[in-house]
Amino acid sequence: MAQSCANLLEQDKQIIAPLYGKADINFVKGEGSYLFDDQGNKYLDFVAGIAVNALGHQNQAIKDAVVDQMGHFNHISNLYPNYPQIELGKKLLEVTKFDKAFFCNSGTEANEGAIKFARKYFDRKGEKNRQKIITFVNSFHGRTYAALSATGQPAIREGFGSMPGDFVHVTWNDCEALKKEVNKDTCAIMLESLAAEGGVMTLSKEMVETINSLQKEFGCLVIVDEVQAGMGRLGTFLGFEKYGLKPDLVSLAKGIGGGLPLGAVLLRQHIADQLKAGDHGTTFGGNPIACAAGLAVTKQIADPALLKNVAERSAQLKAGLNALVEKYAFAKEIRGEGLILGVALDESMPVGNIISAARSEKLMVLSAKGNVLRMLPPLNVSAAECDEALAKLANAFAAAAK
Ligand SMILES: Cc1ncc(COP(=O)(O)O)c(C=O)c1O
């Protein structure tokens, strides 16, 4: 039912738990890279549901897959083999060269699974003292307890009582700090292939080399959180491929479901060999409809033409953003890779000012930690749409600078 935006926001306030600050906008439809509101305004969507709509809105193959699966069954539980889940797993393993897949519903669950599998691996091998998991300051791994404990942002843990122990956070790209923490009691080093929420921070070559050599020297596991940077977003199918990490476990979510709730953990055989029925589980994980959508998504993202588009659009956007960084003193640097791009701003220009100016231009963008403007367009965004975004952003920068 059509409702005015003010009415909708008021109802949201009365009915929905007050956990988010929401913008006064009533989206009624999405199509490709665009969103439409109830006033007939058309917005270029460079938020993409926070990297969820990897193929934009109303992707035909996803729609067809979902409708087709609903004609078979919606859900059967994990008590029985489930064809869409197996097909999606097969495709993911073929593309990534991992050995086993576990399906869940979200990024935080994928990380919980990966953490549990890593600890169970050493426990079954008789190395019960291997508990310590090293993650990074400003990392983001999710909101459930272990993922929250892994997350390197103390502010979002505050007031939630005791956290699962043995999580240590070291500074991003600080090789010496990491070397000091890793020893024979380390279970895993866990990191995002690109720290998106934490400020669109890329990994240094030295850090990748350090992680690879510590993994070899101490036999600890490497868990790469690909929830935001995976599924083609960096121009490679998984983000770590770009940097040369050698993960034992990878967590996926966001883009993999193309808008449906779906998460996954990809495992190497040595980890899977230490797991048994009953060690972990989920009611909804690997839901047939979500997996049918996931297969439609995965097939499209695995297409080299799509990945090439990510690289080309990234270069196009970076060139345009560079002009803004050269023109405005408050814009310090461009950050990111592929289609997770950011502009770090100094304290004289709060990122919120740019986001609202962009919204007036009918461009949706978001922020990352540390006063960083972030853009997450769909991976199939066109060159013309990127030009349009850059023109809107140039106007937004000019308006915010006045
Ligand atoms: C890198 C990373 N890991 C995990 C998560 C948590 O995912 P979810 O919100 O689906 O639980 C996010 C969400 O932003 C993320 O960016």
Side-chain angles (χ1 to χ4, degrees):
M1 194 179 29
Q3 305 218 29
S4 80
C5 186
N7 183 24
L8 206 65
L9 260 186
E10 186 46 40
Q11 286 193 55
D12 186 288
K13 216 164 130 190
Q14 282 172 19
I15 294 164
I16 307 299
L19 297 171
Y20 306 94
K22 288 186 185 160
D24 56 340
I25 189 161
N26 182 9
F27 287 125
V28 291
K29 191 180 167 182
E31 217 173 276
S33 303
Y34 293 93
L35 275 169
F36 300 83
D37 72 9
D38 59 350
Q39 308 299 308
N41 293 312
K42 182 180 178 183
Y43 299 80
L44 190 48
D45 181 14
F46 272 36
V47 173
I50 320 184
V52 163
N53 303 315
L55 300 166
H57 300 277
Q58 301 212 40
N59 178 268
Q60 194 58 47
I62 299 177
K63 272 166 111 174
D64 291 345
V66 166
V67 169
D68 180 67
Q69 183 53 41
M70 288 187 90
H72 294 274
F73 48 73
N74 288 2
H75 198 70
I76 53 169
S77 85
N78 283 307
L79 298 176
Y80 314 99
N82 150 0
Y83 180 73
Q85 197 183 108
I86 293 167
E87 287 301 301
L88 172 58
K90 208 188 285 176
K91 185 70 189 168
L92 284 169
L93 300 183
E94 174 202 314
V95 177
T96 64
K97 310 287 180 267
F98 271 78
D99 300 302
K100 289 282 186 292
F102 164 78
F103 290 105
C104 52
N105 312 286
S106 66
T108 201
E109 280 176 78
N111 285 327
E112 293 283 334
I115 290 164
K116 286 180 75 179
F117 300 157
R119 285 190 171 163
K120 185 64 99 177
Y121 167 78
F122 283 118
D123 186 82
R124 284 258 154 77
K125 284 181 27 135
E127 295 182 63
K128 293 184 189 293
N129 56 328
R130 286 245 200 195
Q131 292 280 314
K132 190 161 84 170
I133 298 188
I134 297 162
T135 72
F136 291 85
V137 173
N138 285 338
S139 60
F140 188 79
H141 298 293
R143 301 282 191 156
T144 52
Y145 269 94
L148 191 56
S149 203
T151 292
Q153 301 185 31
I156 63 171
R157 281 198 292 274
E158 243 175 62
F160 289 110
S162 49
M163 293 284 137
D166 290 313
F167 286 89
V168 176
H169 307 99
V170 304
T171 303
W172 185 253
N173 283 337
D174 186 340
C175 302
E176 292 313 310
L178 184 65
K179 281 185 207 160
K180 276 194 202 125
E181 286 296 342
V182 178
N183 55 39
K184 61 179 182 14
D185 290 336
T186 303
C187 171
I189 301 169
M190 177 173 182
L191 73 158
E192 295 155 82
S193 49
L194 186 151
E197 304 283 330
V200 192
M201 306 292 291
T202 44
L203 271 171
S204 70
K205 193 165 170 282
E206 295 71 36
M207 194 53 160
V208 172
E209 284 163 6
T210 304
I211 292 169
N212 288 345
S213 91
L214 291 169
Q215 180 184 22
K216 208 165 162 191
E217 184 179 350
F218 293 101
C220 62
L221 302 178
V222 170
I223 303 173
V224 179
D225 177 341
E226 295 274 359
V227 168
Q228 189 155 160
M231 296 306 293
R233 196 152 275 283
L234 300 191
T236 45
F237 189 83
L238 294 179
F240 75 80
E241 296 165 37
K242 198 154 197 120
Y243 302 106
L245 290 163
K246 299 179 172 67
D248 301 277
L249 291 150
V250 152
S251 54
L252 293 167
K254 289 191 184 276
I256 190 176
L260 275 86
L262 181 64
V265 183
L266 303 181
L267 304 85
R268 301 280 182 210
Q269 194 59 46
H270 57 282
I271 313 283
D273 283 344
Q274 301 299 339
L275 298 176
K276 288 187 188 151
D279 280 346
H280 189 52
T282 154
T283 297
F284 279 112
N287 166 270
I289 297 167
C291 285
L295 181 60
V297 170
T298 303
K299 282 180 177 166
Q300 291 177 76
I301 293 179
D303 181 347
L306 192 278
L307 295 173
K308 187 163 168 266
N309 186 61
V310 173
E312 288 174 359
R313 300 292 71 79
S314 178
Q316 178 187 354
L317 287 168
K318 277 184 179 173
L321 294 176
N322 204 34
L324 292 178
V325 171
E326 276 170 12
K327 184 164 177 190
Y328 295 98
F330 62 78
K332 292 192 295 184
E333 60 174 4
I334 299 172
R335 301 230 180 117
E337 282 289 346
L339 291 177
I340 303 186
L341 291 175
V343 181
L345 309 172
D346 73 16
E347 63 286 351
S348 72
M349 178 58 71
V351 64
N353 294 8
I354 300 281
I355 292 173
S356 22
R359 194 181 135 186
S360 302
E361 292 291 321
K362 310 287 180 283
L363 170 69
M364 306 309 291
V365 285
L366 70 169
S367 66
K369 207 171 161 60
N371 208 30
V372 175
L373 175 71
R374 182 168 39 143
M375 276 164 285
L376 299 164
L379 309 183
N380 54 0
V381 67
S382 71
E385 288 163 350
C386 289
D387 280 341
E388 186 186 336
L390 289 168
K392 287 175 185 293
L393 212 53
N395 291 343
F397 270 57
K402 269 191 193 144

